[in-house]
Structure formats: structure tokens, C-alpha cells
Amino acid sequence: MIKSICFVVGLIVSLASHAEIPSTAKTTATTQIPVTTRILGDTFTWPGGSKLAVSLSYDDALNSQLDNVIPALDKHNFKASFYIVPNSPVMNARLDEWRAAANNGHELGNHSVYHPCRASLPNRDWVNEHHDLDHYSVAQMIEELEVANTFLKAIDGQSERTYTVPCGDMVIGADVSSRQQYLSQLNTLFIAVKGQGKDSRFSLILYPEGQTGKKLIDYIRNIPADTLLVNIIFHGVGGDYLSVSSEAHSELLTFLVNNRDDYYVDSYINLMRYAQSKPFTFNRKQ
């Protein structure tokens, strides 16, 4: 649990935690791929003139997301992003509900098929040997992501997709040099990838675990003024793992709906499409 909210500006290479393992929630600044080749001008605003967008994301296709999150989002007409893994038993058991969520405007994002992570990193004893990213090749990982895209298209009929990297692990096969090859191929599969890019104003990420609603709201209120997008990546809400309470989540949504003029909330894919549609200049440091 975060004892104090802090900001760490930099590029994620790896995260010490994963959705299956209780860990300290982190705030980390990272950036997105489609905005890497063009840096938006200083006058950029979101629809309605908002200066800050909030991307509400939920990883791993969990029961609590269907039971608690989607009803709460729909109550306020917020659209969010759900980064699902096809091998989740919740996908098989409740596929029609995920399809209904997509039909209602929520994004189904790619989070791989098997959620492979690097077992060699600290606190990764939960990683199955056959899902150990240290034993993958880049080609194997890309093929897995292509399969996940096909699976998602069968659910929602969409061709464009965004991606959240499992565990934030960008090194494949324990080869540090694989990172750039991986990045370049991701850029052909997705219109945006959380955690990669050059425009740091789209870079802030919070991984909540256990915070109260007040803590989450204070985090939003204290974001640096030049930030354009904050990505809040939840796992469980009112259940499952790495969770926050339903009450804390509800308090955050109520705050956002009561401050719509200040905070623009939409799915990550819609936010990135909007950003890509805007005029840009190279007037910021690369």
C-alpha cells in the first residue's frame, strides 16, 4: 500500500509485482508509442477544454470487474479499458458479459494470452515455468500478441487495439538488447502501448492497491500541472487481488463526475486516437 504518493519520472523497464502477487502499489511515469514520433504542442487540451485526461484501466479479466466495476462505470456513463487475458477462466465463464461491455463502449485491450513475466526478477516465484518470459523469444511473444488480438476481434469486431505490457517487462529471453526489437514490433500491432514513448505528459501511471478514496482523489488533485494524461491501472475492486475497495473506487468516480470540467475521462484507445488527431510540433525536448 502506498504510504505517501510520489512521482517517479522515467521509463518502465520492469515491475517487481504482478496481478497475482500482493505488492506495494506504485506510481510511475511512462509514455505511449503513437505519441513518440510527434510531440504535441503546449496548447493541447482535451474535448471540452479539460487539461487533464484520466484513463481508468482494469487488468486481467477479473470477476470483480464485471460484478463491481462495470455497473459503477455505467452509472456515471464513464468508458474504461479492460486489458484481458484469454486464458483467464473468467473469460470462458462470462464471455457474453465481456462482449456486452464492449458493445456498451468499453475498450477490450490486449494483455497477451498467458500473461508471461520474467521469473528471474524479485518476488516472481509465482511465474509458471512455461510462462516465464526469460525463456521466450521476441518472435514467440509477438505471435502470442497476434493471437490475443484475433481473440479480441472475435469478441468485439474491432481491428485497432492498445496494449498493456504484462508486469511491465520489456526484456525478453533475459536479453537486454531485445527491448528495442520488441518495441519496434509492438508499434506495428497497436495504436498505443502503456509504458512506452517520448512525450512524458502522457506518462503518469498509478497502480492502486488498498488506497482509500481520499488517497486516490488526493493523487489526482496533486498531479503536476503539465501532465496531460494519468493512467490508473486497477486490478481487483471489492475482491480478487491487488484490490481497492468498492467504496474507494466509487468515491473516485464520484469525484471525477463532479469535476468533469477539469478531468476528461475516456477509454485509453479513445484518448490516444484523439491525441493522434491533433496538430503537433517538435517544440519539446525529445
mmCIF file of all heavy atoms in Angstrom, residues 1 16-26 123 126 209 240-243:
data_model
loop_
_atom_site.group_PDB
_atom_site.id
_atom_site.type_symbol
_atom_site.label_atom_id
_atom_site.label_comp_id
_atom_site.label_asym_id
_atom_site.label_seq_id
_atom_site.Cartn_x
_atom_site.Cartn_y
_atom_site.Cartn_z
ATOM 1 N N MET A 1 0.852 -1.185 0.000
ATOM 2 C CA MET A 1 0.000 0.000 0.000
ATOM 3 C C MET A 1 0.884 1.229 0.000
ATOM 4 O O MET A 1 1.886 1.277 0.693
ATOM 5 C CB MET A 1 -0.881 -0.018 1.233
ATOM 6 C CG MET A 1 -1.891 1.112 1.280
ATOM 7 S SD MET A 1 -2.828 1.051 2.808
ATOM 8 C CE MET A 1 -3.543 -0.560 2.708
ATOM 9 N N ALA A 16 8.240 -4.971 -10.268
ATOM 10 C CA ALA A 16 8.535 -6.073 -9.359
ATOM 11 C C ALA A 16 7.305 -6.866 -9.008
ATOM 12 O O ALA A 16 7.392 -7.919 -8.417
ATOM 13 C CB ALA A 16 9.168 -5.531 -8.075
ATOM 14 N N SER A 17 6.147 -6.365 -9.368
ATOM 15 C CA SER A 17 4.921 -7.050 -8.977
ATOM 16 C C SER A 17 4.094 -7.428 -10.177
ATOM 17 O O SER A 17 4.314 -6.960 -11.274
ATOM 18 C CB SER A 17 4.095 -6.146 -8.065
ATOM 19 O OG SER A 17 3.671 -5.014 -8.781
ATOM 20 N N HIS A 18 3.103 -8.287 -9.936
ATOM 21 C CA HIS A 18 2.178 -8.719 -10.966
ATOM 22 C C HIS A 18 0.820 -8.897 -10.339
ATOM 23 O O HIS A 18 0.682 -8.967 -9.136
ATOM 24 C CB HIS A 18 2.686 -10.040 -11.565
ATOM 25 C CG HIS A 18 1.646 -10.775 -12.344
ATOM 26 N ND1 HIS A 18 1.068 -11.921 -11.882
ATOM 27 C CD2 HIS A 18 1.075 -10.491 -13.523
ATOM 28 C CE1 HIS A 18 0.187 -12.331 -12.772
ATOM 29 N NE2 HIS A 18 0.170 -11.489 -13.765
ATOM 30 N N ALA A 19 -0.179 -9.007 -11.178
ATOM 31 C CA ALA A 19 -1.543 -9.057 -10.685
ATOM 32 C C ALA A 19 -1.791 -10.199 -9.719
ATOM 33 O O ALA A 19 -2.718 -10.157 -8.932
ATOM 34 C CB ALA A 19 -2.501 -9.148 -11.861
ATOM 35 N N GLU A 20 -0.990 -11.251 -9.755
ATOM 36 C CA GLU A 20 -1.246 -12.396 -8.887
ATOM 37 C C GLU A 20 -0.620 -12.229 -7.504
ATOM 38 O O GLU A 20 -0.924 -12.974 -6.595
ATOM 39 C CB GLU A 20 -0.656 -13.664 -9.518
ATOM 40 C CG GLU A 20 -1.165 -13.959 -10.919
ATOM 41 C CD GLU A 20 -2.580 -14.449 -10.911
ATOM 42 O OE1 GLU A 20 -3.102 -14.696 -9.827
ATOM 43 O OE2 GLU A 20 -3.161 -14.580 -11.984
ATOM 44 N N ILE A 21 0.295 -11.294 -7.338
ATOM 45 C CA ILE A 21 1.080 -11.231 -6.120
ATOM 46 C C ILE A 21 0.824 -9.926 -5.391
ATOM 47 O O ILE A 21 1.006 -8.861 -5.956
ATOM 48 C CB ILE A 21 2.590 -11.327 -6.458
ATOM 49 C CG1 ILE A 21 2.874 -12.690 -7.096
ATOM 50 C CG2 ILE A 21 3.449 -11.123 -5.236
ATOM 51 C CD1 ILE A 21 2.590 -13.862 -6.211
ATOM 52 N N PRO A 22 0.373 -9.957 -4.138
ATOM 53 C CA PRO A 22 0.219 -8.713 -3.394
ATOM 54 C C PRO A 22 1.548 -7.980 -3.349
ATOM 55 O O PRO A 22 2.592 -8.570 -3.126
ATOM 56 C CB PRO A 22 -0.191 -9.195 -1.996
ATOM 57 C CG PRO A 22 -0.785 -10.538 -2.222
ATOM 58 C CD PRO A 22 -0.023 -11.130 -3.361
ATOM 59 N N SER A 23 1.505 -6.683 -3.558
ATOM 60 C CA SER A 23 2.731 -5.903 -3.580
ATOM 61 C C SER A 23 2.409 -4.455 -3.298
ATOM 62 O O SER A 23 1.264 -4.057 -3.222
ATOM 63 C CB SER A 23 3.415 -6.015 -4.947
ATOM 64 O OG SER A 23 2.626 -5.385 -5.921
ATOM 65 N N THR A 24 3.448 -3.655 -3.176
ATOM 66 C CA THR A 24 3.256 -2.233 -2.966
ATOM 67 C C THR A 24 2.790 -1.591 -4.249
ATOM 68 O O THR A 24 3.389 -1.770 -5.287
ATOM 69 C CB THR A 24 4.590 -1.594 -2.531
ATOM 70 O OG1 THR A 24 5.021 -2.231 -1.341
ATOM 71 C CG2 THR A 24 4.395 -0.106 -2.279
ATOM 72 N N ALA A 25 1.709 -0.827 -4.205
ATOM 73 C CA ALA A 25 1.260 -0.121 -5.396
ATOM 74 C C ALA A 25 2.298 0.931 -5.748
ATOM 75 O O ALA A 25 2.973 1.464 -4.891
ATOM 76 C CB ALA A 25 -0.096 0.541 -5.136
ATOM 77 N N LYS A 26 2.422 1.216 -7.040
ATOM 78 C CA LYS A 26 3.467 2.114 -7.480
ATOM 79 C C LYS A 26 2.886 3.239 -8.299
ATOM 80 O O LYS A 26 1.899 3.073 -8.987
ATOM 81 C CB LYS A 26 4.478 1.351 -8.347
ATOM 82 C CG LYS A 26 5.132 0.185 -7.625
ATOM 83 C CD LYS A 26 5.979 -0.591 -8.586
ATOM 84 C CE LYS A 26 6.644 -1.760 -7.884
ATOM 85 N NZ LYS A 26 5.706 -2.729 -7.410
ATOM 86 N N ASN A 123 10.600 -11.494 -6.277
ATOM 87 C CA ASN A 123 9.195 -11.755 -5.930
ATOM 88 C C ASN A 123 8.393 -12.303 -7.100
ATOM 89 O O ASN A 123 7.205 -12.024 -7.236
ATOM 90 C CB ASN A 123 8.535 -10.471 -5.407
ATOM 91 C CG ASN A 123 9.242 -9.897 -4.211
ATOM 92 O OD1 ASN A 123 9.579 -10.621 -3.269
ATOM 93 N ND2 ASN A 123 9.490 -8.594 -4.226
ATOM 94 N N TRP A 126 5.852 -16.870 -8.372
ATOM 95 C CA TRP A 126 4.533 -17.291 -8.834
ATOM 96 C C TRP A 126 4.504 -17.565 -10.335
ATOM 97 O O TRP A 126 3.536 -18.133 -10.850
ATOM 98 C CB TRP A 126 3.504 -16.215 -8.503
ATOM 99 C CG TRP A 126 3.913 -14.850 -8.943
ATOM 100 C CD1 TRP A 126 4.564 -13.913 -8.205
ATOM 101 C CD2 TRP A 126 3.713 -14.267 -10.234
ATOM 102 N NE1 TRP A 126 4.792 -12.781 -8.947
ATOM 103 C CE2 TRP A 126 4.279 -12.975 -10.194
ATOM 104 C CE3 TRP A 126 3.113 -14.713 -11.412
ATOM 105 C CZ2 TRP A 126 4.270 -12.119 -11.301
ATOM 106 C CZ3 TRP A 126 3.102 -13.867 -12.513
ATOM 107 C CH2 TRP A 126 3.678 -12.591 -12.451
ATOM 108 N N GLU A 209 -3.427 -0.136 -4.870
ATOM 109 C CA GLU A 209 -3.671 -1.324 -4.036
ATOM 110 C C GLU A 209 -3.926 -0.862 -2.621
ATOM 111 O O GLU A 209 -3.020 -0.396 -1.938
ATOM 112 C CB GLU A 209 -2.494 -2.297 -4.054
ATOM 113 C CG GLU A 209 -2.785 -3.548 -3.211
ATOM 114 C CD GLU A 209 -1.561 -4.410 -2.978
ATOM 115 O OE1 GLU A 209 -0.468 -4.033 -3.447
ATOM 116 O OE2 GLU A 209 -1.706 -5.441 -2.306
ATOM 117 N N ASP A 240 -10.952 -10.097 -5.417
ATOM 118 C CA ASP A 240 -9.802 -10.575 -6.190
ATOM 119 C C ASP A 240 -8.492 -10.113 -5.549
ATOM 120 O O ASP A 240 -8.380 -10.134 -4.329
ATOM 121 C CB ASP A 240 -9.921 -10.144 -7.656
ATOM 122 C CG ASP A 240 -11.130 -10.774 -8.334
ATOM 123 O OD1 ASP A 240 -11.284 -12.002 -8.225
ATOM 124 O OD2 ASP A 240 -11.922 -10.034 -8.944
ATOM 125 N N TYR A 241 -7.516 -9.664 -6.321
ATOM 126 C CA TYR A 241 -6.188 -9.362 -5.783
ATOM 127 C C TYR A 241 -5.720 -7.973 -6.214
ATOM 128 O O TYR A 241 -6.267 -7.352 -7.104
ATOM 129 C CB TYR A 241 -5.160 -10.404 -6.238
ATOM 130 C CG TYR A 241 -5.218 -10.736 -7.716
ATOM 131 C CD1 TYR A 241 -4.658 -9.876 -8.672
ATOM 132 C CD2 TYR A 241 -5.826 -11.911 -8.166
ATOM 133 C CE1 TYR A 241 -4.709 -10.178 -10.024
ATOM 134 C CE2 TYR A 241 -5.872 -12.215 -9.512
ATOM 135 C CZ TYR A 241 -5.307 -11.358 -10.438
ATOM 136 O OH TYR A 241 -5.359 -11.652 -11.778
ATOM 137 N N LEU A 242 -4.674 -7.502 -5.529
ATOM 138 C CA LEU A 242 -4.170 -6.134 -5.749
ATOM 139 C C LEU A 242 -5.335 -5.161 -5.777
ATOM 140 O O LEU A 242 -5.417 -4.292 -6.640
ATOM 141 C CB LEU A 242 -3.365 -6.052 -7.052
ATOM 142 C CG LEU A 242 -2.041 -6.810 -7.100
ATOM 143 C CD1 LEU A 242 -1.402 -6.676 -8.484
ATOM 144 C CD2 LEU A 242 -1.082 -6.319 -6.029
ATOM 145 N N SER A 243 -6.221 -5.298 -4.827
ATOM 146 C CA SER A 243 -7.524 -4.647 -4.922
ATOM 147 C C SER A 243 -7.632 -3.364 -4.105
ATOM 148 O O SER A 243 -6.858 -3.119 -3.179
ATOM 149 C CB SER A 243 -8.627 -5.611 -4.485
ATOM 150 O OG SER A 243 -8.437 -6.009 -3.144
#
